[in-house]
Amino acid sequence: MSSKYLTILNIIIFITSLFTFLYIITCSFSPSLSSRSLQISQKKSLPKNFHFEFCPTNFTNYCPCEDPKRQKKFPNRQWFRKERHCPKTNERLKCLVPKPKGYQNPFHWPMSKDNAWFSNVPFTKLVEYKKLQNWIRLEGDRFVFPGGGTSFPNGVQGYVDDLKKLLPVSFDSGWIRTVLDVGCGVASFGASLVEYDILTMSIAPSDEHEAQVQFALERGLPAMLGVFSTHRLTFPSNSFDMAHCSRCLVQWTAYDGLHLKEIDRVLKPGGFWVLSGPPINWRVNYKAWKTESTVLEKQQNSLEELAIQMCWQKVAEGGQFAIWQKPINHIKCKQNLNPTKFCNSSNPDDGWYTKMIPCIFPLQEPKNVDKISGGVLEKWPMRLNSLPPRLRNEGLTLERMYSEDNRIWKKRVSNYEVMLKSLSSGGYRNVMDMNGGFGGFAAAMMKYPVWVMNVVPFDAKSDSLGVIYQRGLIGTYMDWCEPFSTYPRTYDLIHASGLFKMYLNKCDITDIVIEMHRIVRPEGSVIIRDNKDVILKVKEITDRMRWEGTILEADGDENGSSHSEMIMVFNNIKY
């Protein structure tokens, strides 16, 4: 062979060896599970034998839309950093969030209200930071919640007893059923109202004290991540009987009263707003708060002026509380030529990525000044199954649909009790209905020791979330193409009826199933109810997650005809 050909051959061998060497070096220094390897292209179908693996352990408490690393990319003005900032579709993780080492099944309700396993939420910063205020204590292998707090020097029960003396209506009367607790901490206020059969939606942003909302949910109390920033809360208008803030650090009078006007939007006509902490009773407390009395006086005056502009009436002030009441209608407000800025556009019920505006929404005008706008709500528990005022003027068709919905779900939930053996014995506490409808499922579940987060897709054909709140239930708007604003492992039971057929052509339903895995507790349960062809598509995904379930045919109607629906039940989900 000539020297010329030998030279060319040597060059080829050298280049090939170089590329091989570089490839080996690159692989050697690549992390075993990089963020890129966790992502799978939405355009490529998964291999037949593909199974989802678990994410690295640093994803154990991963909240996709409230990820601290992503939040730092956004400005902090007006708390915008704490709003929802979700990963893009091609950034969604295609791995399963792992449970923490030593995870144990939570305490059954009501023991969970006062106890949580340290291994489930292994954070000590809150214990250290709030140890003088007695929010939470670590005793051996568990946390205990003694009911202390910044504004609860005599414990939360003493705080509630003082509040009861000032409120114009009794907690036992049934007039107050749904409460919004802003800046909830570990939800001790909501826990204290449980004994009055009051359902509290506790909200707080992700914060430096480690997962306060996660502690609340571990206790078996309704809670979700939420912040007063630039977008409205994810609730419809006229939802809550009462809103509460105890040193919640919201700037109520800033930005032309934007955030207090958002409270007005979600309060029912005649609803109460309870404020404790600065600047209330500043004459007594300004030294303890280490703030100049003139500063606090100015803050209180601004608050009083804003409340007058909104037509609110202060009904009580004493101790550490001030209580205002939203008017039952706006007739007098308009007659008095009050300088109220009413909104003249936008749907007041829009609560999904809708910008707040510094105005209040005019209430529907009743026939006379003594009537409640929109109609009178029944006392709790009668309001659960009575016809909600939002449906009373919508025609017989919707009324019949509502009644039929209640009848159907009462029957279906009775069947679920057979599938979920520990439902009646307290084995489930936190329940999510991913497609809440009129709240029929949640209403039927009220005979068990549970609470239900009713989720209504923001673009559903019928916006029924306002009806759900008028029944004395709670919930939120949602787009299931995005992750939910909660921590991992926070729901014992997830129910999805007709959800996947809604989203088949909207986004990759694989992401929705992975999100269900993130939210459901280990050993928890999932019920998926949908058309047969949809169920089979979902099953392909759950098989790759190694979920073992049972598929059942849905019952036929009373005439004996069969449904095209099927039910897929997953019990004791393994992590």
Side-chain angles (χ1 to χ4, degrees):
M1 186 178 291
S2 69
S3 59
K4 179 180 178 182
Y5 288 117
L6 283 172
T7 303
I8 295 172
L9 181 60
N10 287 333
I11 291 172
I12 293 172
I13 292 171
F14 173 78
I15 293 172
T16 303
S17 301
L18 179 62
F19 274 105
T20 302
F21 174 78
L22 290 173
Y23 174 79
I24 292 170
I25 291 296
T26 303
C27 291
S28 299
F29 286 95
S30 294
S32 60
L33 197 56
S34 69
S35 58
R36 282 188 179 274
S37 67
L38 295 175
Q39 299 162 10
I40 296 172
S41 172
Q42 300 286 317
K43 296 179 181 179
K44 295 179 181 178
S45 59
L46 298 172
K48 276 190 175 182
N49 297 324
F50 175 83
H51 283 91
F52 293 103
E53 301 300 334
F54 281 95
C55 310
T57 54
N58 60 328
F59 284 90
T60 298
N61 296 294
Y62 181 55
C63 295
C65 297
E66 285 85 8
D67 181 10
K69 292 181 180 178
R70 184 176 293 102
Q71 287 177 337
K72 290 178 181 178
K73 299 177 182 179
F74 297 92
N76 206 26
R77 183 181 181 275
Q78 205 173 327
W79 284 63
F80 180 70
R81 181 174 293 172
K82 296 291 185 180
E83 287 206 0
R84 285 174 58 87
H85 301 292
C86 300
K88 296 177 182 178
T89 301
N90 62 352
E91 297 173 336
R92 294 284 291 270
L93 299 185
K94 291 298 190 295
C95 58
L96 309 178
V97 170
K99 63 184 177 182
K101 185 178 180 180
Y103 183 90
Q104 301 183 65
N105 289 339
F107 292 95
H108 279 199
W109 182 264
M111 193 175 180
S112 66
K113 187 172 72 168
D114 301 315
N115 299 271
W117 295 116
F118 171 77
S119 56
N120 292 7
V121 273
F123 309 129
T124 57
K125 187 184 291 186
L126 189 61
V127 176
E128 296 162 3
Y129 188 82
K130 298 291 185 181
K131 63 183 177 182
L132 297 179
Q133 297 165 13
N134 213 24
W135 281 31
I136 181 173
R137 292 199 305 265
L138 179 59
E139 296 182 357
D141 59 357
R142 70 180 65 180
F143 290 111
V144 295
F145 303 90
T150 312
S151 295
F152 309 153
N154 300 318
V156 70
Q157 193 53 57
Y159 178 88
V160 170
D161 288 343
D162 290 342
L163 175 58
K164 284 164 59 180
K165 296 172 186 176
L166 292 175
L167 267 175
V169 297
S170 167
F171 280 157
D172 296 312
S173 65
W175 287 120
I176 295 179
R177 163 61 179 172
T178 54
V179 172
L180 176 67
D181 186 19
V182 180
C184 63
V186 293
S188 291
F189 181 70
S192 69
L193 298 184
V194 169
E195 66 177 274
Y196 303 101
D197 214 4
I198 291 174
L199 195 58
T200 304
M201 175 73 86
S202 296
I203 63 170
S206 56
D207 56 50
E208 63 189 31
H209 306 317
E210 296 179 327
Q212 294 183 37
V213 165
Q214 190 172 7
F215 277 113
L217 287 159
E218 193 70 15
R219 300 175 68 183
L221 300 168
M224 65 182 294
L225 290 163
V227 64
F228 279 81
S229 179
T230 62
H231 288 96
R232 293 180 188 173
L233 302 179
T234 57
F235 315 123
S237 64
N238 306 327
S239 297
F240 294 95
D241 299 307
M242 187 173 89
H244 169 259
C245 161
S246 173
R247 297 178 70 97
C248 61
L249 305 181
V250 177
Q251 295 178 294
W252 295 116
T253 59
Y255 315 111
D256 199 15
L258 185 70
H259 297 144
L260 197 58
K261 288 169 183 175
E262 175 65 359
I263 290 288
D264 182 89
R265 183 185 73 86
V266 299
L267 268 184
K268 289 174 181 172
F272 299 100
W273 186 55
V274 177
L275 178 64
S276 70
I280 304 305
N281 202 5
W282 58 268
R283 290 179 177 85
V284 174
N285 295 316
Y286 75 93
K287 290 183 179 178
W289 293 335
K290 298 179 181 179
T291 307
E292 291 292 333
S293 60
T294 52
V295 173
L296 292 166
E297 182 181 19
K298 184 178 179 181
Q299 290 176 358
Q300 174 120 8
N301 289 339
S302 298
L303 196 61
E304 304 281 4
E305 291 171 8
L306 180 58
I308 291 172
Q309 290 174 19
M310 294 163 56
C311 303
W312 286 9
Q313 179 185 1
K314 181 184 275 188
V315 294
E317 182 170 2
Q320 55 185 320
F321 297 102
I323 303 173
W324 285 266
Q325 186 173 22
K326 179 178 175 176
I328 59 173
N329 61 59
H330 283 143
I331 293 177
K332 283 186 178 179
C333 185
K334 293 176 180 177
Q335 288 176 347
N336 293 337
L337 299 177
N338 205 306
T340 302
K341 184 178 180 181
F342 287 106
C343 307
N344 54 18
S345 63
S346 180
N347 181 353
D349 288 334
D350 285 345
W352 189 248
Y353 290 124
T354 304
K355 289 281 188 180
M356 291 185 194
I357 44 179
C359 56
I360 65 172
F361 286 93
L363 294 170
Q364 179 183 339
E365 270 197 28
K367 292 181 180 179
N368 61 62
V369 72
D370 298 321
K371 297 292 183 182
I372 296 177
S373 175
V376 179
L377 284 177
E378 299 282 353
K379 293 181 181 180
W380 178 262
M382 286 78 76
R383 71 170 73 168
L384 179 64
N385 293 307
S386 62
L387 186 67
R390 285 185 182 240
L391 294 180
R392 288 176 193 166
N393 300 319
E394 297 297 326
L396 289 175
T397 301
L398 271 180
E399 289 185 25
R400 290 194 188 105
M401 287 173 62
Y402 174 77
S403 298
E404 180 66 6
D405 186 72
N406 287 334
R407 184 192 67 80
I408 288 172
W409 282 112
K410 189 174 182 180
K411 178 182 177 183
R412 289 176 176 176
V413 166
S414 294
N415 292 334
Y416 288 167
E417 186 174 348
V418 178
M419 305 173 195
L420 308 172
K421 302 297 183 183
S422 59
L423 182 58
S424 57
S425 63
Y428 302 92
R429 173 59 184 171
N430 302 350
V431 179
M432 176 183 285
D433 190 2
M434 296 178 72
N435 189 17
F438 287 126
F441 167 79
M445 291 287 285
M446 287 299 97
K447 61 182 178 180
Y448 308 113
V450 304
W451 67 271
V452 180
M453 178 71 81
N454 292 279
V455 182
V456 173
F458 83 103
D459 56 351
K461 290 181 180 178
S462 174
D463 178 3
S464 54
L465 192 53
V467 170
I468 287 170
Y469 271 93
Q470 288 193 335
R471 300 187 70 172
L473 305 169
I474 59 173
T476 180
Y477 291 116
M478 180 61 191
D479 178 359
W480 284 112
C481 289
E482 296 184 0
F484 192 77
S485 288
T486 193
Y487 288 89
R489 304 171 301 280
T490 44
Y491 285 86
D492 305 294
L493 170 62
I494 298 179
H495 180 253
S497 177
L499 178 83
F500 286 97
K501 65 184 175 187
M502 290 178 60
Y503 282 89
L504 274 177
N505 298 317
K506 294 180 181 179
C507 54
D508 186 353
I509 62 171
T510 300
D511 289 332
I512 301 176
V513 181
I514 291 176
E515 178 66 359
M516 293 170 78
H517 182 280
R518 187 184 73 89
I519 293 172
V520 72
R521 297 193 200 271
E523 309 298 327
S525 298
V526 171
I527 299 177
I528 300 173
R529 189 182 194 109
D530 225 306
N531 293 342
K532 181 178 179 180
D533 57 337
V534 176
I535 288 288
L536 294 177
K537 289 179 181 179
V538 175
K539 186 178 183 299
E540 291 180 8
I541 304 167
T542 56
D543 284 348
R544 288 167 174 161
M545 293 165 54
R546 301 180 182 87
W547 278 7
E548 296 180 1
T550 304
I551 296 181
L552 306 168
E553 287 190 7
D555 294 335
D557 60 26
E558 291 178 347
N559 298 322
S561 61
S562 62
H563 285 293
S564 61
E565 280 189 334
M566 299 190 79
I567 305 170
M568 190 156 49
V569 182
F570 301 96
N571 272 320
N572 302 317
I573 290 173
K574 305 299 180 186
Y575 266 57

